[in-house]
């Protein structure tokens, strides 16, 4: 089930009505039931996979909690949890493989696998107590607003929010609704419009001019940024409407001035998980520069494998290590110029998108090589790629939408919170804003017959 489908909207609406109509101490049962319905509607394979994996994690954590520092039990638990994920990745059952249909991949498997590993590891280390109530544990593991795209939540952070008895909070509900509208704006007016131009180029890049490839590459960076942020905002918004705060998983990464800062802002929960469960246990930066480089390389290798097992992702991960280490050598503790730093991050991370969006490293290198092949005949404007993909009016809407996003991100970076400003306005003004925003998305968004807008890129991980 997609987060932008009618069935998902109905599920959320019905769940919210029931959730706020029953006593607070029973509300978490609604979250559990809604999550089960979400997974059942997402396919038999999805619900079986997560129920089996979560049940294994529950049992193994109970055993780990009763045995003192049994390392073999911990590794056996992690292996069992990873088994479905390894099987999926090894068989290439992902939306990027092009071998199997998307329906075979297991919804959100990479996200909930890491969550369950963190839970078992924390129980093993004595940081948290193993949950004894199986249904409460399932509520944490299956909580549907965050299952498709995160954030990757630790048990001790999320569980108190799921099971607390709280009254209806109109401010949180309004915040959540605004976040959903913003997510829809990003998805329909930017990400999906950019796909109309970028996808044909990536599908057959060998026939296009170098200028086309440069534009398509950086449009894909815009796609990844807005598509990911859109789903993050929808997840966060739905959760907020239930009165449950999920931490922000995305903090304006393209405004980062260094790659170290970039990875503190992009997919924050994944970066934190990799740091806490891979990089630091390997020794972090405490065992010398050479060992630190090895630890960093292993960490980004795990990150690449988390995205997929093909050579394209592995090359993408290697580039991130090269960027980090080169940056540290050249800066040597000096603070980077803000504007040059932002340009560097956008440009170099954009180059790595060739490997992220193509199945093999060879194709990624071929794409980059073709970027420098300028015929002077076929180019972006001459072949009318924009006009063929969407028309110049639609392209103008895309440019305006991107500019609005840039203004909003820069304002947020400067400390301006538009949602806070709007929430303090009278209800009639907020209602007018909601209606205008919804009508704008409905009128100018990219969707409908002949276009599949149901998939989020990170929803396939």
């Amino acid at each position: 089930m997609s987060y932008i489908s009618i069935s998902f909207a109905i599920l959320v609406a019905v769940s919210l009505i029931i959730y706020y109509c029953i006593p607070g101490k029973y509300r978490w049962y609604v979250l559990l039931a809604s999550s089960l319905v979400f997974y059942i509607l997402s396919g038999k394979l999805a619900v079986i996979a997560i129920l089996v994996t979560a049940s294994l994690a529950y049992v193994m954590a109970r055993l780990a909690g009763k045995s003192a520092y049994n390392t073999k039990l911990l590794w056996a638990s992690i292996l069992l949890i990873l088994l479905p994920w390894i099987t999926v990745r090894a068989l290439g059952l992902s939306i990027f493989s092009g071998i199997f249909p998307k329906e075979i991949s297991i919804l959100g498997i990479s996200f909930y696998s890491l969550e369950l590993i963190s839970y078992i590891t924390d129980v093993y280390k004595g940081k948290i107590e193993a949950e004894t109530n199986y249904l409460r544990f399932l509520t944490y593991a299956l909580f549907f607003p965050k299952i498709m795209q995160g954030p990757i939540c630790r048990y001790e952070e999320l569980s108190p929010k799921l099971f607390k008895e709280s009254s209806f909070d109109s401010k949180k509900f309004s915040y959540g609704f605004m976040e959903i509208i913003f997510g829809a704006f990003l998805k329909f007016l930017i990400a999906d419009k950019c796909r109309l131009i970028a996808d044909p180029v990536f599908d057959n890049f060998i026939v296009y001019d170098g200028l086309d490839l440069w534009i398509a590459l950086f449009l894909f960076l815009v796609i990844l940024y807005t598509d990911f942020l859109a789903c993050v905002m929808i997840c966060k918004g739905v959760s907020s409407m239930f009165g449950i705060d999920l931490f922000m998983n995305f903090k304006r990464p393209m405004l980062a001035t260094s790659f170290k800062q970039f990875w503190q802002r992009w997919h924050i929960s994944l970066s934190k998980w990799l740091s806490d469960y891979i990089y630091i246990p390997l020794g972090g930066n405490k065992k010398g520069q050479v060992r630190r480089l090895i630890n960093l390389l292993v960490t980004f290798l795990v990150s690449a494998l988390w995205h997929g097992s093909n050579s394209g992702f592995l090359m993408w991960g290697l580039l991130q290590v090269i960027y980090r280490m080169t940056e540290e050598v050249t800066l040597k503790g000096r603070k980077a110029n803000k504007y040059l730093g932002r340009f560097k991050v956008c440009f170099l991370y954009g180059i790595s998108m060739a490997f992220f969006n193509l199945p093999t490293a060879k194709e990624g290198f071929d794409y980059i090589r073709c970027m420098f092949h300028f015929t002077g005949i076929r180019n972006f404007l001459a072949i009318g790629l924009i006009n063929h993909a969407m028309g110049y009016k639609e392209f103008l809407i895309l440019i305006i939408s991107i500019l609005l996003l840039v203004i909003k991100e820069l304002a947020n970076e400067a400390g301006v919170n538009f949602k806070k400003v709007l929430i303090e306005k009278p209800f009639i003004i907020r209602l007018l804003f909601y209606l205008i925003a919804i009508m704008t998305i409905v009128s100018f968004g990219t969707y409908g017959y002949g276009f599949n807008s149901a998939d989020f890129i990170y929803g396939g991980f």
Side-chain angles (χ1 to χ4, degrees):
M1 180 190 290
S2 170
Y3 283 174
I4 51 176
S5 64
I6 297 297
S7 54
F8 180 77
I10 294 172
L11 173 63
V12 171
V14 172
S15 300
L16 283 169
I17 293 170
I18 300 173
Y19 186 80
Y20 286 112
C21 285
I22 64 175
K25 63 180 180 179
Y26 300 116
R27 286 178 180 167
W28 67 271
Y29 288 107
V30 178
L31 298 178
L32 175 58
S34 301
S35 299
L36 284 169
V37 170
F38 174 81
Y39 254 92
I40 290 169
L41 294 178
S42 299
K44 294 179 181 179
L45 182 61
V47 70
I48 292 171
I50 193 170
L51 284 175
V52 170
T53 309
S55 299
L56 280 171
Y58 171 78
V59 172
M60 300 305 276
R62 293 293 304 276
L63 293 175
K66 295 178 181 179
S67 59
Y69 299 101
N70 189 333
T71 307
K72 291 181 180 179
L73 180 61
L74 174 64
W75 282 109
S77 303
I78 292 174
L79 182 60
L80 284 172
I81 289 172
L82 284 178
L83 194 58
W85 179 85
I86 292 171
T87 303
V88 167
R89 291 302 183 218
L91 293 177
L93 306 183
S94 80
I95 60 174
F96 294 97
S97 66
I99 300 173
F100 296 95
K102 175 189 174 294
E103 286 76 17
I104 298 179
S105 61
I106 301 173
L107 185 70
I109 186 171
S110 295
F111 289 94
Y112 70 71
S113 295
L114 295 191
E115 279 190 346
L116 297 178
I117 289 172
S118 71
Y119 169 73
I120 284 185
T121 304
D122 289 347
V123 170
Y124 167 80
K125 291 183 176 180
K127 291 182 179 180
I128 60 173
E129 294 289 330
E131 174 59 65
T132 57
N133 187 315
Y134 177 66
L135 294 181
R136 287 169 72 96
F137 178 75
L138 274 187
T139 305
Y140 156 74
L142 273 67
F143 184 50
F144 74 99
K146 53 85 179 170
I147 201 68
M148 185 185 290
Q149 200 158 301
I152 299 166
C153 299
R154 311 292 170 87
Y155 181 78
E156 67 274 19
E157 295 170 349
L158 182 60
S159 59
K161 300 174 184 178
L162 294 175
F163 307 121
K164 68 179 180 181
E165 297 182 29
S166 57
S167 56
F168 175 78
D169 188 329
S170 60
K171 183 172 286 190
K172 280 187 179 181
F173 195 91
S174 296
Y175 265 122
F177 192 63
M178 281 189 279
E179 286 169 338
I180 292 171
I181 290 176
F182 181 53
F185 164 78
L186 293 170
K187 178 65 174 168
F188 292 120
L189 266 72
I190 301 181
D192 287 346
K193 285 188 184 297
C194 287
R195 280 179 55 191
L196 293 175
I197 300 174
D199 285 356
V201 177
F202 272 96
D203 289 342
N204 194 20
F205 63 84
I206 198 71
V207 305
Y208 287 96
D209 183 70
L211 179 60
D212 304 332
L213 301 188
W214 279 98
I215 293 172
L217 184 66
F218 285 95
L219 278 179
F220 181 76
L221 179 57
V222 174
I223 293 168
L224 191 65
Y225 185 95
T226 53
D227 190 275
F228 186 16
L229 181 56
C231 197
V232 165
M233 298 310 298
I234 292 172
C235 298
K236 197 169 183 298
V238 171
S239 184
S240 183
M241 293 174 81
F242 284 101
I244 298 167
D245 292 323
L246 296 179
F247 67 87
M248 190 59 187
N249 203 22
F250 208 72
K251 192 177 180 182
R252 302 176 295 280
M254 302 320 297
L255 295 180
T257 58
S258 68
F259 278 97
K260 180 179 180 180
Q261 190 181 96
F262 175 87
W263 286 108
Q264 292 170 343
R265 292 169 172 242
W266 181 288
H267 208 330
I268 299 170
S269 62
L270 176 60
S271 297
K272 187 72 168 60
W273 191 98
L274 291 169
S275 175
D276 290 349
Y277 297 99
I278 303 294
Y279 182 71
I280 291 175
L282 287 173
N285 56 4
K286 296 181 179 179
K287 296 185 178 181
Q289 190 66 10
V290 175
R291 179 63 182 272
R292 178 174 174 274
L293 174 59
I294 295 172
N295 295 342
L296 199 62
L297 184 61
V298 172
T299 302
F300 274 105
L301 176 63
V302 172
S303 177
L305 289 172
W306 180 86
H307 287 86
S309 59
N310 65 53
S311 58
F313 283 127
L314 296 178
M315 189 63 212
W316 167 82
L318 179 60
L319 278 177
Q320 308 315 311
V321 177
I322 293 171
Y323 292 161
R324 278 287 303 272
M325 299 313 296
T326 303
E327 186 177 73
E328 291 184 14
V329 170
T330 54
L331 288 177
K332 293 182 179 178
R334 291 181 287 109
K335 190 175 181 180
N337 177 277
K338 181 169 70 173
Y339 300 106
L340 287 177
R342 286 174 179 173
F343 174 79
K344 173 194 67 181
V345 169
C346 291
F347 181 80
L348 292 178
Y349 193 70
I351 293 295
S352 73
M353 291 294 95
F355 300 99
F356 192 96
N357 196 36
L358 291 167
T360 67
K362 181 183 182 303
E363 289 179 85
F365 282 116
D366 287 342
Y367 188 100
I368 293 173
R369 176 178 54 80
C370 291
M371 286 168 62
F372 297 93
H373 180 65
F374 300 101
T375 64
I377 300 173
R378 295 191 311 272
N379 59 58
F380 191 76
L381 296 176
I383 65 172
L385 187 57
I386 295 176
N387 191 46
H388 176 72
M390 62 174 65
Y392 286 97
K393 290 181 180 179
E394 290 253 343
F395 184 68
L396 180 60
I397 293 170
L398 171 61
I399 296 299
I400 293 172
S401 300
I402 292 175
L403 287 175
L404 288 174
L405 173 62
V406 171
I407 292 169
K408 184 259 181 194
E409 296 287 80
L410 288 171
N412 285 166
E413 189 76 1
V416 179
N417 189 330
F418 290 110
K419 285 183 292 184
K420 186 176 180 180
V421 172
L422 184 61
I423 206 75
E424 293 172 353
K425 299 296 181 183
F427 174 75
I428 189 66
I429 294 178
R430 281 185 281 134
L431 180 61
L432 184 62
F433 170 81
Y434 297 151
L435 291 174
I436 293 173
I438 292 170
M439 288 304 297
T440 300
I441 294 168
V442 170
S443 300
F444 300 110
T446 298
Y447 44 78
Y449 178 77
F451 181 77
N452 179 16
S453 182
D455 303 322
F456 286 98
I457 293 174
Y458 268 80
F461 294 130

